[in-house]
C-alpha cells in the first residue's frame, strides 16, 4: 500500500473518530442542559438517531445552487481543520496532512464555513436569514480579532507557523505549555473560544427565544444531516487546535479525549450559567476585554 493511500485512510479514520466524539459530547451537553433545568433530557445516543434519520430523508425544497453548497462549505470547514491539524503528537499516522506553515491555512478554514453558510442562507430569500447572517458575521468578526491576535502571539513566541513545531516546543512538562509561558494569549483565546462555539451567552445567530427559524427549519433531510455532521466535527476540531496551541498537544488517545472534553466543557459550563447577550452587547464585549488582552499578549511576547 502506498504512503499516500495510507495517509488518506488514516485521515478518514481521524474524521470518523472526531465525529463520534462530537456526537457523544452533543448528547452529554444536551443532557447537562436538561438536568440544570430540572428535566430528564434526551438519551445520550439521540444525536446518532437524528443523524441517521436525516440522511435517510429527501427534500424537494431548493432555492438555487448556493442553497446546496452552503451546508457543503460548512462541512468542508470542519473536515479541513481535522485533515490539517495533527491529532496525536509524534504519531506518523495521526499527524494527518499537517505541513510547515499549516497554521495559515487553518485560519482560513475557521472562517470559511461561516461565510459559506451565510451565502447559503441568503439564497433562501427568507427575510430572517438576512438577520441571522448579519448577526453571525458581526459576532464572528468581533470574536476572530482577539482570536487571531492570540494565535499571532503564539506564532511569534515560537517563531514558526507549524502546529507540529509549536506542540514540540511545549513538550517536557506542563510548565512548558503555552498556558504557562504566555498566559495572556491563552486567556484571550479562551474568551474568544466562547464566541466561536456559539453557545450562550453568545448564541445570537439563531436566537431561539426570539426568532423561531434558522438552518434547522430552512434545510431539510440530507442538507440538515450535513449540518449536523459538521456540528459534531467542527467544535471538536477547534478544541484540537486549542489543545495543540495552548495545552501541550496530545501524545496518546487518552490524553487527547481528556483535554478535548475539558476544553469543550468550558463553553458548556459558561453557557449553562449565563443568559444570552444582545447582539450589540456581544460585539462590544469581544471588542473590549478580549481585544485588549490580545494586544497585551503581543506586547508580552515582544517584551518577555
Amino acid at each position: 500500500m502506498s504512503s499516500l493511500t495510507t495517509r488518506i485512510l488514516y485521515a478518514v479514520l481521524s474524521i470518523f473518530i472526531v465525529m463520534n466524539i462530537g456526537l457523544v459530547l452533543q448528547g452529554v451537553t444536551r443532557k447537562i442542559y436538561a438536568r440544570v433545568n430540572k428535566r430528564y433530557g434526551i438519551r445520550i445516543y439521540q444525536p446518532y438517531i437524528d443523524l441517521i434519520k436525516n440522511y435517510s430523508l429527501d427534500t424537494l425544497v431548493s432555492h438555487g445552487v448556493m442553497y446546496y453548497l452552503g451546508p457543503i462549505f460548512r462541512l468542508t470547514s470542519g473536515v479541513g481543520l481535522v485533515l490539517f491539524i495533527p491529532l496525536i503528537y509524534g504519531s506518523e499516522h495521526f499527524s494527518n496532512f499537517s505541513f510547515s506553515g499549516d497554521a495559515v491555512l487553518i485560519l482560513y478554514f475557521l472562517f470559511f464555513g461561516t461565510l459559506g453558510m451565510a451565502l447559503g442562507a441568503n439564497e433562501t430569500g427568507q427575510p430572517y436569514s438576512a438577520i441571522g447572517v448579519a448577526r453571525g458575521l458581526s459576532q464572528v468578526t468581533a470574536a476572530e480579532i482577539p482570536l487571531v491576535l492570540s494565535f499571532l502571539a503564539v506564532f511569534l513566541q515560537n517563531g514558526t507557523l507549524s502546529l507540529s513545531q509549536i506542540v514540540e516546543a511545549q513538550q517536557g512538562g506542563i510548565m512548558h505549555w503555552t498556558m504557562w509561558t504566555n498566559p495572556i494569549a491563552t486567556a484571550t483565546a479562551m474568551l474568544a473560544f466562547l464566541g466561536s462555539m456559539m453557545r450562550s451567552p453568545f448564541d445570537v445567530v439563531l436566537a431561539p427565544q426570539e426568532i423561531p427559524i434558522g438552518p434547522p427549519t430552512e434545510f431539510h433531510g440530507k442538507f440538515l444531516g450535513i449540518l449536523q455532521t459538521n456540528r459534531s466535527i467542527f467544535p471538536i476540531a477547534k478544541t484540537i487546535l486549542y489543545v495543540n496551541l495552548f495545552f501541550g498537544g496530545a501524545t496518546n488517545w487518552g490524553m487527547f479525549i481528556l483535554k478535548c472534553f475539558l476544553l469543550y466543557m468550558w463553553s458548556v459550563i459558561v453557557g449553562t450559567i449565563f443568559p444570552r447577550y444582545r447582539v450589540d452587547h456581544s460585539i462590544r464585549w469581544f471588542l473590549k476585554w478580549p481585544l485588549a488582552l490580545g494586544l497585551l499578549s503581543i506586547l508580552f511576547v515582544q517584551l518577555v
Side-chain angles (χ1 to χ4, degrees):
M1 187 179 296
S2 66
S3 176
L4 179 60
T5 303
T6 303
R7 293 184 67 182
I8 292 174
L9 290 176
Y10 275 100
V12 172
L13 179 60
S14 299
I15 295 171
F16 179 77
I17 293 172
V18 169
M19 183 184 71
N20 280 275
I21 293 174
L23 288 171
V24 171
L25 287 180
Q26 278 186 27
V28 171
T29 300
R30 292 169 67 181
K31 195 77 169 178
I32 292 173
Y33 283 152
R35 290 303 177 90
V36 169
N37 290 285
K38 298 183 179 180
R39 295 182 288 107
Y40 182 76
I42 65 168
R43 295 160 291 188
I44 292 179
Y45 56 85
Q46 185 64 42
Y48 286 94
I49 298 175
D50 295 339
L51 193 63
I52 294 173
K53 179 187 69 176
N54 283 312
Y55 274 117
S56 66
L57 298 175
D58 292 324
T59 178
L60 299 176
V61 178
S62 175
H63 299 282
V65 175
M66 190 51 66
Y67 177 81
Y68 292 103
L69 293 179
I72 296 175
F73 284 0
R74 188 68 171 166
L75 180 60
T76 301
S77 180
V79 171
L81 281 177
V82 177
L83 289 178
F84 292 99
I85 295 178
L87 270 60
I88 305 297
Y89 172 73
S91 171
E92 179 182 356
H93 299 306
F94 291 104
S95 294
N96 294 331
F97 294 97
S98 60
F99 59 94
S100 180
D102 51 6
V104 176
L105 179 62
I106 286 169
L107 288 176
Y108 279 102
F109 272 120
L110 283 173
F111 193 73
F112 180 78
T114 302
L115 183 59
M117 198 64 219
L119 294 173
N122 274 330
E123 189 79 5
T124 65
Q126 169 59 248
Y128 287 116
S129 296
I131 299 176
V133 169
R135 289 178 166 184
L137 293 180
S138 298
Q139 177 172 279
V140 167
T141 302
E144 287 282 342
I145 295 175
L147 179 67
V148 171
L149 287 175
S150 66
F151 286 6
L152 287 177
V154 176
F155 301 154
L156 290 172
Q157 176 180 335
N158 292 276
T160 180
L161 291 171
S162 170
L163 289 181
S164 297
Q165 293 180 13
I166 292 174
V167 175
E168 181 180 1
Q170 298 177 73
Q171 302 306 303
I174 190 173
M175 298 306 296
H176 292 84
W177 294 3
T178 308
M179 178 178 66
W180 296 110
T181 58
N182 195 338
I184 302 176
T186 305
T188 305
M190 293 299 287
L191 294 178
F193 180 75
L194 298 176
S196 66
M197 294 295 280
M198 293 291 182
R199 300 188 186 277
S200 183
F202 304 108
D203 55 341
V204 302
V205 178
L206 293 179
Q209 290 83 1
E210 61 183 67
I211 301 179
I213 202 164
T217 53
E218 286 296 313
F219 292 96
H220 319 86
K222 294 180 176 60
F223 296 119
L224 184 56
I226 292 174
L227 292 176
Q228 286 181 310
T229 302
N230 182 71
R231 288 185 65 185
S232 64
I233 295 177
F234 195 36
I236 304 302
K238 285 185 284 190
T239 62
I240 300 170
L241 176 61
Y242 271 66
V243 167
N244 283 335
L245 288 177
F246 302 101
F247 302 104
T251 55
N252 56 70
W253 283 109
M255 189 61 65
F256 174 87
I257 294 174
L258 177 61
K259 289 183 178 181
C260 287
F261 174 79
L262 293 176
L263 187 56
Y264 191 93
M265 285 297 112
W266 159 243
S267 66
V268 173
I269 293 172
V270 173
T272 305
I273 297 173
F274 293 97
R276 181 172 56 84
Y277 281 157
R278 280 178 13 196
V279 183
D280 56 329
H281 289 169
S282 172
I283 295 173
R284 281 203 299 266
W285 189 86
F286 281 113
L287 296 180
K288 189 177 180 182
W289 300 113
L291 179 59
L293 285 174
L295 294 173
L296 189 60
S297 67
I298 299 291
L299 182 61
F300 177 82
V301 171
Q302 296 299 319
L303 296 177
V304 177

